[in-house]
Amino acid sequence: MCWYEPMYTPQEYEKFIKDAYGGAQEPAASYARKRDEEKYHKGDDGLWWQVQFRHDDYSEACPVTTGNWEIWVPPADPQPDPNKLTPEILSELAYNSTKLPTPPVVLSPKADRLIVNLGTRVKFEENFDRVWTTASIDYKGVLMAATTVATPVALKVEAGTADADPQTCTYDLIKGPDGYSVDSTDSGCNVTYRRSSGDGTYPFKASITWKVTWTDSADPDGPARQPGLPDGLSTFEQAVAVREIQAVNR
């Protein structure tokens, strides 16, 4: 992924080219001569934009050659380059930088004390809310921002064994004054283990599905733009021990 960002005034660009390409061999020398012939657009309104890469090692394919490493962009460009920085590109950058928290799941009974045929209660141990990330640029009069907002919408739990009823269960998350919550008390889809884990454990997993939207501003509450972004997923896994209680009748 690559894009153009505003980088130099005409005077700054002239200095950059002469510092970077002075005495260079071909093809860099031809590139420098071309910019000399253009007079670096000195006296014109606008900025030189330079290609930027998401990864510093330039490992991604990019439709840019040494002939258009920088482009001249007037203040009101009637035909903007398709690779020029846009709010959509910023939203993708913000999306890739978003860190989704691990589901703060706790079990009752505790994970090392689950009982055969006793429903397992799932709840959150702390407030859990949406997450947002803003990517922006504010350079020489070019102002642009995009914010991605990830909202938790569902919790899926997986028992980790076929000897559970149900083996998987999904709960809709409920928004309250302090964030989103879930509590499986009296729920029809509580996970109930039907067989002991013996001397071992079962790999219990909890996953949060996040609905991701974006807005072309630094305000997470701004109007959602289209197209949307792919859903996010964060997971938590722990080993659970399931024991069987035996009673002796006399």
Side-chain angles (χ1 to χ4, degrees), residues 117-120 157 159-169 171 187-195:
N117 293 329
L118 177 65
T120 302
V157 298
T161 174
D163 295 314
D165 182 22
Q167 295 177 37
T168 66
C169 190
Y171 305 90
S187 171
C189 66
N190 275 348
V191 173
T192 301
Y193 289 93
R194 300 304 185 188
R195 180 175 295 181

Side-chain angles (χ1 to χ4, degrees), residues 215-245:
T215 181
D216 55 353
S217 72
D219 180 9
D221 295 316
R225 301 302 183 187
Q226 296 298 327
L229 293 166
D231 287 348
L233 189 70
S234 61
T235 60
F236 165 78
E237 186 170 327
Q238 70 178 132
V240 298
V242 183
R243 302 291 177 252
E244 193 165 13
I245 296 179

Side-chain angles (χ1 to χ4, degrees), residues 13 18 55 66 70 82 145 170 178 201 221 246:
Y13 187 54
K18 291 183 176 179
H55 299 299
T66 54
E70 295 93 20
T170 300
D178 297 321
T201 58
D221 295 316
Q246 297 181 349

Side-chain angles (χ1 to χ4, degrees), residues 9 23 37 47 72-73 79 99 147 149 201 227 235 237 243:
T9 65
E37 293 167 0
L47 292 170
W72 172 254
V73 179
Q79 292 181 324
K99 305 297 183 184
T147 300
V149 182
T201 58
T235 60
E237 186 170 327
R243 302 291 177 252

Side-chain angles (χ1 to χ4, degrees), residues 131-173:
V131 175
W132 63 83
T133 303
T134 298
S136 64
I137 185 170
D138 182 355
Y139 184 77
K140 298 184 185 299
V142 178
L143 307 176
M144 199 179 301
T147 300
T148 58
V149 182
T151 302
V153 294
L155 168 69
K156 179 182 180 180
V157 298
E158 299 173 66
T161 174
D163 295 314
D165 182 22
Q167 295 177 37
T168 66
C169 190
T170 300
Y171 305 90
D172 293 331
L173 297 186

Side-chain angles (χ1 to χ4, degrees), residues 11-247:
Q11 290 76 17
E12 291 170 340
Y13 187 54
E14 180 182 21
K15 182 178 186 306
F16 164 74
I17 290 294
K18 291 183 176 179
D19 288 348
Y21 296 101
Q25 302 299 314
E26 297 295 343
S30 296
Y31 185 69
R33 283 196 301 272
K34 177 182 178 182
R35 297 312 187 207
D36 269 333
E37 293 167 0
E38 294 171 341
K39 307 297 183 184
Y40 305 99
H41 283 278
K42 287 191 290 187
D44 297 336
D45 291 331
L47 292 170
W48 284 96
W49 292 45
Q50 188 176 63
V51 68
Q52 302 292 312
F53 292 83
R54 182 173 58 182
H55 299 299
D56 292 338
D57 60 4
Y58 313 114
S59 59
E60 296 174 302
C62 181
V64 172
T65 68
T66 54
N68 61 345
W69 204 256
E70 295 93 20
I71 60 173
W72 172 254
V73 179
D77 192 358
Q79 292 181 324
D81 188 283
N83 297 308
K84 202 168 76 172
L85 185 67
T86 63
E88 288 83 357
I89 290 177
L90 285 175
S91 75
E92 294 179 28
L93 295 174
Y95 178 88
N96 291 331
S97 298
T98 299
K99 305 297 183 184
L100 298 177
T102 300
V105 169
V106 293
L107 304 179
S108 180
K110 294 182 179 181
D112 60 349
R113 299 179 181 177
L114 300 186
I115 304 300
V116 170
N117 293 329
L118 177 65
T120 302
R121 182 181 173 189
V122 180
K123 61 181 180 179
F124 288 159
E125 64 180 344
E126 59 189 31
N127 293 340
F128 196 68
D129 212 340
R130 60 182 186 160
V131 175
W132 63 83
T133 303
T134 298
S136 64
I137 185 170
D138 182 355
Y139 184 77
K140 298 184 185 299
V142 178
L143 307 176
M144 199 179 301
T147 300
T148 58
V149 182
T151 302
V153 294
L155 168 69
K156 179 182 180 180
V157 298
E158 299 173 66
T161 174
D163 295 314
D165 182 22
Q167 295 177 37
T168 66
C169 190
T170 300
Y171 305 90
D172 293 331
L173 297 186
I174 301 171
K175 188 178 188 324
D178 297 321
Y180 292 81
S181 64
V182 64
D183 191 333
S184 65
T185 304
D186 299 325
S187 171
C189 66
N190 275 348
V191 173
T192 301
Y193 289 93
R194 300 304 185 188
R195 180 175 295 181
S196 166
S197 58
D199 294 331
T201 58
Y202 296 133
F204 176 91
K205 182 186 290 186
S207 303
I208 295 287
T209 299
W210 302 75
K211 181 70 175 177
V212 184
T213 58
W214 71 279
T215 181
D216 55 353
S217 72
D219 180 9
D221 295 316
R225 301 302 183 187
Q226 296 298 327
L229 293 166
D231 287 348
L233 189 70
S234 61
T235 60
F236 165 78
E237 186 170 327
Q238 70 178 132
V240 298
V242 183
R243 302 291 177 252
E244 193 165 13
I245 296 179
Q246 297 181 349

